[in-house]
Amino acid sequence: MTLLPDPIRWDGGKVVIIDQTQLPHSEKFLSSDNYRDVCEWIQSLRIRGAPAIGIAAAYAAALAAFEFASKDEIDDKLDAALTDIHKTRPTAVNIKNVLARLRKLNLQGKNVGEVFLNEAHRILAEEINACEKIGRFGLELVPDKAVILTHCHTGGLATGGYGTALGIIRAANEAGKDIMVIADETRPLLQGARLTAYELQKLRINFKLIVDSASGIAMKKFKVDLVVVGADRIAANGDTANKIGTYNLSILCKEHKIPFYIAAPISSFDISAKSGEDIPIEERSPDEVTHFQSCRSAPENISVYAPAFDVSPADNIAAFVTERGIIRRPFRENIAKMIG
Ligand code: MRU
């Protein structure tokens, strides 16, 4: 039985998503046949999570190709639309990887919209399959009785379905392991409080919600066995960009001698980035920090720094769980072998 709504699907010439900004209070669906709407959905986090926005980018590209009736090639209008899609969010490499994949397709004598749409369907199916495999490979890292801490939201809605870090948690629960999850609320947009809590509750997985700054005391009090999070971009040396606050967690794990794992599909690796230094970090509107929902919580006219992501150094990471297996040290060599 499916307990969770589909994060994204294609229905009668339109892309349909569940609006993640309205969860958990309202399960509201949005649909459109205009790629500009999909770009807005990505920018405003109505759809979010690295794999999910990669899939959305592929469907947006198909909509653009249908709109411009592009024949046989990526003409100027379609090229400009692909560039707009690319610019929606800079950190998750999935958008860049998906668009590069579409640009390499053989379009000769074909309808570009149809070719892109079929590829988008394939990308969605691959992402779902990758998550299920990540869940299975991750099982060996979870003791039979385990307290697992996670950050942000990496579940079915952030991917094609099933989830990455949350996929491992889900697989451990389905395998009958006795798990308890500690979910960080994830300031400022509360992906943990709104979305991770929503999914864990639907899946009937035992969890506690904490504020981000309680993760240190929670590690001590609940004897956390492992921390597992997702990724927006993993560089060739293993440095990993993920939701702001992940870096802090990686340091806390070092201090508490807790293994810190990254669960991510191959589509989230970027071996053209040599290290975290090469990963662009998205900065979001100061309003997301100065306001709590629509209510202002900070004084007017102040200076704000609002990075959406940070980079956890490879040194702090115990292993990566991918759909092709677990990547252990030495990371540079083993990532190259796995991606190659
Ligand atoms: O800004 P968001 O909500 O898109 O950030 C999402 C994250 O950082 C996730 O942890 C990451 O994309 C992995 S989702 C499987």
Side-chain angles (χ1 to χ4, degrees):
M1 189 180 56
T2 315
L3 294 167
L4 295 169
D6 288 332
I8 182 163
R9 68 192 156 83
W10 180 260
D11 190 2
K14 291 185 174 181
V15 183
V16 182
I17 64 156
I18 181 158
D19 184 346
Q20 296 190 34
T21 63
Q22 302 299 307
L23 289 170
H25 304 300
S26 147
E27 291 183 353
K28 181 178 162 202
F29 291 86
L30 302 172
S31 72
S32 178
D33 58 6
N34 188 324
Y35 80 92
R36 296 165 197 82
D37 289 332
V38 183
C39 288
E40 191 281 324
W41 296 346
I42 296 172
Q43 272 160 346
S44 60
L45 274 59
R46 296 183 199 286
I47 183 159
R48 47 147 299 285
I53 60 178
I55 298 161
Y59 281 116
L63 289 177
F66 284 128
E67 176 177 326
F68 301 126
S70 310
K71 297 234 167 46
D72 220 31
E73 59 165 2
I74 297 178
D75 54 23
D76 289 350
K77 278 187 177 168
L78 181 55
D79 185 61
L82 297 185
T83 304
D84 288 345
I85 297 166
H86 194 161
K87 284 198 280 202
T88 50
R89 293 196 77 190
T91 302
V93 74
N94 306 62
I95 294 183
K96 176 179 149 195
N97 284 346
V98 156
L99 294 173
R101 177 169 162 172
L102 295 181
R103 284 181 184 277
K104 277 193 212 134
L105 294 171
N106 174 12
L107 302 173
Q108 205 123 50
K110 297 182 185 153
N111 175 309
V112 184
E114 290 298 339
V115 175
F116 281 8
L117 180 60
N118 287 334
E119 200 66 10
H121 291 330
R122 248 192 301 276
I123 289 167
L124 172 58
E126 281 172 17
E127 289 292 357
I128 296 172
N129 189 266
C131 284
E132 284 167 2
K133 288 188 174 144
I134 288 169
R136 282 202 292 279
F137 280 120
L139 273 183
E140 72 174 78
L141 304 175
V142 182
D144 286 340
K145 187 169 166 55
V147 179
I148 310 171
L149 192 146
T150 192
H151 190 66
C152 196
H153 170 257
T154 57
L157 297 176
T159 58
Y162 203 77
T164 54
L166 219 55
I168 295 176
I169 289 168
R170 193 168 169 178
N173 183 58
E174 285 166 4
K177 299 195 185 211
D178 179 7
I179 56 170
M180 203 267 273
V181 179
I182 314 257
D184 279 357
E185 66 169 351
T186 317
R187 279 279 296 152
L189 298 179
L190 305 180
Q191 289 91 333
R194 294 185 304 101
L195 306 169
T196 302
Y198 165 84
E199 284 200 20
L200 289 172
Q201 188 176 51
K202 285 222 175 211
L203 297 168
R204 295 177 203 270
I205 296 174
N206 183 20
F207 74 98
K208 283 187 199 304
L209 178 67
I210 59 169
V211 296
D212 299 342
S213 43
S215 45
I217 190 171
M219 282 178 183
K220 270 201 202 169
K221 182 172 169 66
F222 299 108
K223 300 191 174 29
V224 169
D225 295 287
L226 62 145
V227 170
V228 60
V229 297
D232 284 83
R233 194 183 294 226
I234 302 164
N237 70 342
D239 288 352
T240 298
N242 191 51
K243 179 50 58 193
I244 191 72
T246 305
Y247 171 43
N248 308 32
L249 270 186
S250 80
I251 296 169
L252 276 174
C253 280
K254 221 173 179 180
E255 172 70 18
H256 291 265
K257 302 192 174 35
I258 294 170
F260 176 74
Y261 298 115
I262 304 290
I266 296 297
S267 58
S268 296
F269 283 77
D270 179 8
I271 49 169
S272 74
K274 288 196 181 63
S275 75
E277 294 292 309
D278 298 328
I279 301 179
I281 298 294
E282 176 183 3
E283 288 191 30
R284 299 215 30 112
S285 160
D287 290 356
E288 292 181 358
V289 177
T290 55
H291 289 66
F292 188 74
Q293 293 176 332
S294 49
C295 176
R296 188 160 186 112
S297 52
E300 303 279 353
N301 305 319
I302 57 166
S303 166
V304 172
Y305 172 50
F309 302 97
D310 57 25
V311 175
S312 300
D315 263 2
N316 296 357
I317 296 168
F320 295 87
V321 188
T322 76
E323 69 271 36
R324 296 188 190 158
I326 296 182
I327 306 179
R328 299 186 192 272
R329 286 173 195 284
F331 289 142
R332 194 182 292 280
E333 288 84 333
N334 291 338
I335 286 174
K337 270 189 222 154
M338 194 67 97
I339 306 295

